[in-house]
């Protein structure tokens, strides 16, 4: 019997104690992780897969003000520069909200070169009644090439990367996230990146159940830009609640065919703690960012997943294949394919019990790495210590290492009065 069977009802968040069970519920049925299917994959060469987030996201989705409409507006010999630390209140112009000052027509007539622009089509160029010639300005020597500005010292050619951190499921608890990031020395008192060339991965599930999922997403997007400027990075995985949130926004109450009846993304989202104010505040740039998150990554020999499931094997035999398959599905496929993807990544507990180490090895042998780090399943459920006999909240001293030391669980159960976990890897 799974926890979903014991506690079939949804969790209804409130500002009071968070003591209700914290597992995802699929309408009209319960899904669980079956025994490993014996997938025979080709081992993936272990490497740091870092094609998502950070500078690449900043470059693609946060253009500078002078480039918002394809126009380059800067002095000759000067390149536009962006230094976030010099402008603490700076908010980049997003593609869906261009600055009114940048709404130029494709070409503006030159009043000197084209006399028709001044209403005198018969006048020779440069001869306008009542208009003096523009003054002549002596040009100085060419401006020097700009020197890149780093809020922190530029990395040396052989300098190793900064420390690596992972963040468990946040589920809209922005205040708890900010507190823990400050405790770890990753952000300063004003909420800005102060960890230099450190690296940090969020393991997914930013929204639902907690009070401010959009605020969590905005903070992670901000830190991605600031970390890239500092020579580090802040990246994130796609969790099953990202799939659920995007599905609710895109498909609403459109019926989907589940294996045990008809449901909808909106019904499942509400059942699993979806907050209407998050959906109301969801904007195009949030959707674009969430839709491009990778499902799986590897860093320093750690295979990073959101869900403790072997379902990733059903989407490809390499990390790029899995991420491309999920992104293609979200871009092109219909509601039933989305639902099936969400259902698969809602499975859990594959690494628990006697068969757990075998399931972990199946993923490591396919995608590389020596240890799995995941979120999704709250540690109190993995350990069986959901509630103490005296009714006290579960005690979560830190990440949970299990499956013959091959797996690290990072969901501290923040929605059930546990902890929001941030840990520096490797975890001993």
């Amino acid at each position: 019997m799974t926890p979903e069977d014991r506690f079939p009802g949804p969790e209804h968040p409130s500002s009071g104690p968070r003591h209700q069970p914290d597992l995802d519920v699929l309408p009209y049925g319960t899904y669980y992780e079956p025994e490993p299917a014996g997938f025979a994959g080709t081992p993936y060469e272990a490497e740091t897969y870092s094609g998502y987030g950070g500078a690449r996201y900043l470059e693609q989705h946060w253009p500078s003000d002078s480039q918002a409409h394809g126009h380059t507006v800067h002095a000759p010999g000067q390149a536009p520069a962006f230094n976030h630390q010099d402008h603490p209140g700076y908010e980049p112009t997003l593609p869906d909200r261009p600055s009114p000052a940048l709404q130029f027509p494709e070409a503006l007539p030159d009043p000197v070169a084209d006399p028709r622009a001044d209403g005198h089509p018969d006048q020779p160029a440069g001869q306008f009644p009542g208009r003096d010639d523009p003054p002549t300005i002596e040009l100085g020597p060419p401006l020097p090439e700009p020197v890149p500005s780093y809020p922190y010292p530029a990395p040396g050619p052989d300098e190793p990367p900064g420390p690596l951190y992972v963040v468990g499921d946040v589920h809209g608890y922005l205040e708890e996230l900010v507190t823990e990031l400050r405790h770890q020395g990753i952000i300063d008192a004003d909420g800005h990146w102060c960890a230099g060339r450190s690296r940090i991965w969020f393991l997914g599930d930013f929204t639902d159940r907690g009070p401010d999922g959009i605020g969590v997403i905005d903070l992670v997007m901000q830190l991605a830009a600031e970390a890239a400027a500092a020579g580090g990075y802040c990246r994130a995985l796609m969790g099953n609640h990202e799939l659920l949130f995007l599905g609710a926004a895109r498909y609403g109450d459109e019926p989907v065919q589940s294996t045990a009846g008809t449901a909808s993304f909106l019904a499942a989202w509400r059942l699993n703690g979806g907050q209407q104010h998050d959906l109301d505040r969801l904007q195009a740039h949030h959707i674009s960012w969430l839709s491009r998150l990778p499902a799986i990554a590897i860093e320093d020999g750690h295979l990073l997943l959101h869900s403790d499931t072997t379902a990733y094997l059903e989407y490809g035999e390499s990390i790029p294949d899995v991420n491309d398959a999920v992104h293609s599905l979200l871009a092109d496929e219909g509601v039933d394919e989305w639902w099936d993807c969400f259902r698969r990544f809602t499975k859990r507990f594959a690494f628990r019990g006697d068969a757990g180490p075998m399931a972990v090895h199946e993923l490591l042998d396919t995608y590389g790495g020596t240890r799995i780090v995941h979120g999704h399943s709250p540690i109190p459920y993995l350990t069986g210590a959901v509630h103490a006999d005296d009714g006290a909240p579960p005690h979560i001293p830190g990440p949970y290492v299990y499956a013959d030391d091959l797996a690290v669980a990072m969901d501290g159960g923040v929605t059930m009065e546990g902890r929001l976990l941030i840990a520096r890897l490797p975890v001993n």
Side-chain angles (χ1 to χ4, degrees):
M1 176 178 293
T2 67
E4 291 98 326
D5 298 318
R6 296 197 302 261
F7 303 103
E11 178 179 338
H12 299 287
S14 67
S15 58
R18 304 187 295 273
H19 59 272
Q20 300 207 23
D22 177 30
L23 285 177
D24 303 316
V25 181
L26 295 179
Y28 308 105
T30 294
Y31 296 88
Y32 59 92
E33 177 68 19
E35 292 297 321
F39 182 88
T42 302
Y44 179 70
E45 183 179 354
E47 62 179 41
T48 297
Y49 187 72
S50 56
Y52 297 90
R56 175 174 171 179
Y57 173 78
L58 177 65
E59 183 179 82
Q60 291 180 344
H61 300 285
W62 282 8
S64 64
D65 287 351
S66 62
Q67 296 171 324
H69 282 256
H71 298 277
T72 302
V73 187
H74 56 83
Q78 283 187 312
F82 169 70
N83 187 345
H84 188 95
Q85 299 295 326
D86 291 342
H87 305 281
Y90 175 82
E91 293 184 4
T93 301
L94 298 169
D96 58 316
R97 293 183 294 171
S99 170
L102 297 175
Q103 296 177 354
F104 302 125
E106 287 302 318
L108 292 175
D110 185 344
V112 176
D114 187 354
R116 293 171 296 178
D118 204 21
H120 301 281
D122 298 328
Q123 286 289 103
Q127 299 179 10
F128 305 120
R131 178 178 296 180
D132 296 329
D133 289 337
T136 299
I137 300 177
E138 292 294 334
L139 297 179
L143 294 175
E145 289 295 323
V147 177
S149 175
Y150 292 91
Y152 301 88
D158 299 322
E159 188 172 353
L164 175 63
Y165 296 86
V166 286
V167 185
D169 301 35
V170 182
H171 280 301
Y173 286 96
L174 177 61
E175 183 177 342
E176 286 83 349
L177 174 61
V178 169
T179 298
E180 190 61 24
L181 288 171
R182 287 192 61 189
H183 176 72
Q184 295 283 347
I186 294 170
I187 63 173
D188 60 23
D190 295 323
H192 293 288
W193 181 269
C194 65
R197 290 186 290 276
S198 296
R199 302 165 292 158
I200 187 169
W201 275 94
F202 286 77
L203 300 179
D205 279 8
F206 300 116
T207 66
D208 306 337
R209 299 194 175 101
D212 195 359
I214 293 297
V216 171
I217 294 172
D218 285 337
L219 176 60
V220 177
M221 293 175 68
Q222 169 205 318
L223 295 180
E226 295 176 348
Y233 62 70
C234 171
R235 295 173 183 159
L237 295 179
M238 181 180 295
N240 65 308
H241 277 260
E242 278 68 60
L243 291 167
L244 183 60
F245 190 34
L246 291 171
R250 177 166 178 172
Y251 294 110
D253 275 321
E254 182 176 341
V256 297
Q257 293 299 322
S258 67
T259 58
T262 301
S264 72
F265 267 105
L266 192 59
W269 177 69
R270 288 171 174 164
L271 188 63
N272 287 282
Q275 304 294 295
Q276 186 61 44
H277 56 264
D278 281 339
L279 193 59
D280 293 341
R281 294 159 59 204
L282 182 66
Q283 298 183 38
H285 65 279
H286 297 133
I287 295 174
S288 176
W289 186 77
L290 291 170
S291 300
R292 288 167 170 79
L293 295 178
I296 184 172
I298 190 167
E299 292 286 359
D300 296 354
H302 298 90
L303 186 63
L304 307 180
L305 315 171
H306 171 71
S307 304
D308 47 328
T309 176
T310 59
Y312 296 91
L313 297 169
E314 302 171 40
Y315 289 89
E317 300 181 17
S318 71
I319 289 175
D321 287 347
V322 173
N323 291 328
D324 288 346
V326 173
H327 293 156
S328 297
L329 183 149
L330 296 183
D332 301 326
E333 300 296 339
V335 62
D336 289 326
E337 289 77 12
W338 273 54
W339 179 264
D340 187 62
C341 185
F342 160 67
R343 180 185 67 82
R344 293 176 189 275
F345 290 137
T346 301
K347 297 176 181 178
R348 64 177 79 247
F349 299 147
F351 313 144
R352 190 176 67 173
D354 294 338
M358 181 174 64
V360 174
H361 277 297
E362 194 173 10
L363 289 166
L364 295 177
D365 291 345
T366 302
Y367 301 123
T370 57
R371 194 184 236 186
I372 285 177
V373 182
H374 69 86
H376 188 50
S377 290
I379 292 172
Y381 284 116
L382 288 170
T383 62
V386 179
H387 296 289
D389 294 337
D390 58 0
H395 175 60
I396 310 296
Y400 178 56
V401 182
Y402 67 116
D404 292 346
D405 290 341
L406 294 172
V408 179
M410 285 294 302
D411 184 350
V414 66
T415 66
M416 51 193 297
E417 295 190 296
R419 288 181 59 191
L420 196 159
L421 292 178
I422 300 178
R424 180 173 175 175
L425 299 181
V427 173
N428 296 322

